[in-house]
Amino acid sequence: MPSPSRSLQVEDAAFRAGLSAQLRRLDVASALFVEGAGKAVARDAAKRSPRRTGRLARSWSSETGRDARGPYADIGSEGAFYVNLVEFGSSQAGARPMLRPALEALTINVAPFR
Amino acid sequence: MSATTAGALKALLEGAGLGVPVYRDTAPTSDAPARFITIAEGISEVPVGPQYDEADGVVRELAQVDVWQPWRDTAGHVIEDYLLPREVASTLRGAQLPTAPTRVHGVNVTSVVRLLERDTNTVHHAISVHIFREQA
């Protein structure tokens, strides 16, 4: 008994055009996603920052960009030179981590970051 | 058996023959040695979904291992031990922490940051580690 077989014909040009369109949509969606994630981490880091004048909390920001690997978010603190001493601690005061827990928290609900 | 993850990290580092004392959270204020290590555990703890060979109920705990040492001697010569932080990171990388209170799947070193405090003549290496372990 001959084995059942099926054939599938793909129109090459239409397939390529469709694939390109889907990739463009994915690219836009991932850029928006990374931008949102970066802002969420910066907001969370601000919330976790110890407050005296509020300068440290206000210093967090997220900038998005694109490199060979795709879109990225650069999250950092500007204007608070002592941010590393707070985040990692010093010989005078213990660490009060802000950025790292904020990044970790992002992974709880956002599956692609797990 | 250690009571906490930090205790298990302490046991691991003390057993590695590094020649420096290891403390939880902070070193004693009096008679603190020149070089020492402190461990801060539970900075964050997030569940890890089932993936690869990890079962449900696995969490990823973020902890920080700090290496403290003097930067220069009184004559101004650098006395920082460059190898010590590398040895600590190497000991931590991939460790299974057999004395931990819950089963540990592995330890990853995620970053090593060197911070120089000129006013206190201290070099501080902050080593961030992820500990993949069963939920308590």
Side-chain angles (χ1 to χ4, degrees):
Chain A
M1 188 175 169
S3 60
S5 65
R6 288 180 183 160
S7 67
L8 178 69
Q9 275 196 318
V10 177
E11 194 186 333
D12 199 40
F15 176 74
R16 283 173 189 276
L19 186 61
S20 292
Q22 290 301 322
L23 286 173
R24 277 195 301 276
R25 287 179 59 186
L26 183 64
D27 194 49
V28 171
S30 59
L32 288 171
F33 182 79
V34 168
E35 185 182 352
K39 284 179 179 170
V41 171
R43 268 198 308 272
D44 195 8
K47 252 189 245 173
R48 293 170 188 269
S49 298
R51 282 173 186 270
R52 193 180 299 166
T53 64
R55 181 179 178 184
L56 180 57
R58 284 193 305 274
S59 73
W60 293 104
S61 65
S62 169
E63 286 179 21
T64 49
R66 180 178 291 275
D67 60 15
R69 296 172 65 190
Y72 67 84
D74 197 358
I75 304 148
S77 164
E78 277 182 44
F81 64 91
Y82 48 86
V83 64
N84 275 349
L85 296 176
V86 181
E87 176 77 26
F88 296 108
S90 70
S91 57
Q92 310 295 316
R96 302 277 300 270
M98 307 154 284
L99 182 58
R100 287 172 294 165
L103 281 166
E104 294 287 307
L106 187 68
T107 66
I108 295 175
N109 299 319
V110 186
F113 286 105
R114 282 183 190 159
Chain B
M1 180 67 73
S2 306
T4 62
T5 312
L9 286 168
K10 182 175 177 328
L12 172 79
L13 292 170
E14 283 176 339
L18 298 167
V20 288
V22 185
Y23 305 102
R24 286 189 62 188
D25 297 318
T26 184
T29 48
S30 60
D31 299 331
R35 291 187 169 85
F36 60 92
I37 295 169
T38 57
I39 299 166
E41 66 177 343
I43 293 172
S44 78
E45 190 177 304
V46 296
V48 178
Q51 54 181 322
Y52 306 112
D53 59 346
E54 288 162 352
D56 266 331
V58 174
V59 295
R60 186 178 67 215
E61 178 179 346
L62 177 66
Q64 182 173 317
V65 176
D66 298 291
V67 181
W68 307 89
Q69 54 179 322
W71 179 37
R72 291 177 187 269
D73 63 13
T74 47
H77 300 120
V78 173
I79 53 169
E80 175 184 354
D81 182 347
Y82 299 116
L83 288 181
L84 180 59
R86 287 189 213 168
E87 284 170 348
V88 172
S90 171
T91 304
L92 293 168
R93 207 168 282 128
Q96 303 239 307
L97 306 184
T99 66
T102 59
R103 187 166 164 241
V104 171
H105 294 219
V107 176
N108 279 355
V109 173
T110 61
S111 73
V112 181
V113 178
R114 179 181 180 273
L115 301 151
L116 173 62
E117 298 176 31
R118 287 170 195 273
D119 49 347
T120 57
N121 192 40
T122 303
V123 180
H124 168 205
H125 283 83
I127 302 171
S128 300
V129 293
H130 275 150
I131 301 150
F132 293 85
R133 60 167 176 80
E134 306 273 322
Q135 211 156 16

